[in-house]
Amino acid sequence: MRLLLVEDERKVADFIARGLRAERFAVDVAVDGLSGWEMAANVDYDLIILDLMLPGLSGTELLRRLRRRGGNAAVLVLTARDATSDKIENFEAGADDYLTKPFAFAELVVRVKALLRRPPASRSHTLRVADLEMDRLTQQVRRAGKRIDLTAKEYALLEYLAAHPGRVLTRTMIIEHVWDESFEGLTNIVDVYVRHLRTKVDEPHERKLIRTVRGAGYCLTDEEPA
Ligand code: CA
C-alpha cells in the first residue's frame, strides 16, 4: 500500500511517516500543497493523508482537483481545524475521513487501515454505466451528457442498480435498500418505479440499460443481451 502524506510541518511529517513505515506502508511526503498535488496527480496512491493549511495550495483545493480528476485514492484530512463547517466543506470536497490535531498515532493507524479496507469504487463521486452518469454528491443524473430529472425514490433505485452493474437485484433486495422499515406496501412498487426509470433513462435511447431478469429481478448493465 502506497501512501502520500501532505504536511508542511516537518516534525509532524517525520513523526507520521516514520510511524506508518513501521506499520509497513510505503510513504511519500510532500511539504507543500503544489508538490503534493503534483505527486498525487502522477502516482496512483492508495491513500492520501492531507493537512489543510499548506503553503502553495490549500489541502481543500488539492482535494477538489484530485476528485475532479477522478482518482481512486482515499483521502484522510488531518488538521487542527475542528469546526463543523470545515469538516462539512472537506467531506463535500471528497474527503473520506477527518481527524483533528492533536491526535493519537494509534487512532490515525486504525483509521488508515479502515479506509484501505473499503473498495475503491465507493470513493468515487461518480457512478458510470455505459453513457449513464450519476454524481452521488449533487445527485445529478445524465445520460449521453443530457440531464435526467428523477424523484428522490427514482434516484435511490437507480443509484442502487448502478452501484451493482451487471448484478441481478431481487425485488426484496431493492425494497430493503431503497425503502425503509416503515414500508408496508407490495413488492410490485419496485416494478412501478422501474417503469418510471425506464421511461426517463432508457426510452429516449436505443441502448437499453435496465434489464428484467425473469423470475429474479432487475439488473443494470451495459452488456448486450445474449
Ligand atoms: Ca499546516
Side-chain angles (χ1 to χ4, degrees):
M1 290 290 180
R2 188 148 172 206
L3 275 49
L4 172 65
L5 170 64
V6 190
E7 168 64 69
D8 62 322
E9 263 179 81
R10 301 253 178 189
K11 268 191 184 164
V12 179
D14 285 349
F15 163 74
I16 296 172
R18 232 183 304 128
L20 289 173
R21 284 177 191 134
E23 296 284 331
R24 297 170 188 270
F25 293 111
V27 186
D28 294 338
V29 179
V31 292
D32 65 81
L34 276 177
S35 58
W37 161 242
E38 273 163 27
M39 291 164 83
N42 288 306
V43 179
D44 189 17
Y45 288 104
D46 298 292
L47 181 135
I48 299 172
I49 298 172
L50 187 62
D51 183 22
L52 292 184
M53 287 176 278
L54 293 164
L57 182 74
S58 77
T60 306
E61 188 48 36
L62 193 162
L63 178 56
R64 287 206 180 95
R65 287 190 189 184
L66 192 72
R67 291 311 186 218
R68 245 180 267 136
R69 204 175 129 269
N72 275 335
V75 173
L76 187 157
V77 170
L78 183 63
T79 177
R81 291 196 178 168
D82 59 1
T84 303
S85 58
D86 286 316
K87 293 178 189 170
I88 291 171
E89 185 187 7
N90 284 281
F91 273 112
E92 284 183 346
D96 299 285
D97 199 3
Y98 196 107
L99 183 60
T100 52
K101 298 170 181 170
F103 63 98
F105 185 75
E107 183 175 355
L108 176 66
V109 171
V110 291
R111 284 177 186 257
V112 163
K113 288 181 177 171
L115 286 170
L116 291 172
R117 280 198 300 268
R118 292 188 200 162
S122 64
R123 287 181 202 129
S124 171
H125 289 179
T126 316
L127 283 172
R128 270 194 200 91
V129 180
D131 57 355
L132 174 73
E133 266 186 31
M134 304 185 73
D135 185 316
R136 292 170 127 170
L137 275 186
T138 62
Q139 304 210 336
Q140 280 198 13
V141 180
R142 289 172 189 277
R143 179 135 190 222
K146 257 192 166 166
R147 175 116 181 236
I148 300 172
D149 287 315
L150 299 177
T151 65
K153 272 286 173 268
E154 288 165 359
Y155 177 88
L157 172 57
L158 187 63
E159 187 191 45
Y160 183 47
L161 289 166
H164 304 86
R167 224 179 107 190
V168 179
L169 304 172
T170 66
R171 288 172 180 80
T172 310
M173 285 162 83
I174 293 172
I175 296 247
E176 282 174 3
H177 279 86
V178 178
W179 279 266
D180 57 35
E181 277 184 332
S182 61
F183 179 76
E184 285 176 11
L186 300 163
T187 52
N188 74 4
I189 186 90
V190 174
D191 305 306
V192 172
Y193 274 86
V194 167
R195 212 151 50 228
H196 294 171
L197 277 184
R198 280 190 159 132
T199 307
K200 294 181 176 182
V201 174
D202 272 348
E203 228 170 66
H205 300 270
E206 198 182 323
R207 193 171 179 186
K208 310 301 179 201
L209 302 177
I210 303 168
R211 298 277 155 77
T212 304
V213 183
R214 234 166 262 292
Y218 294 101
C219 169
L220 191 83
T221 177
D222 66 343
E223 278 165 34
E224 300 299 327

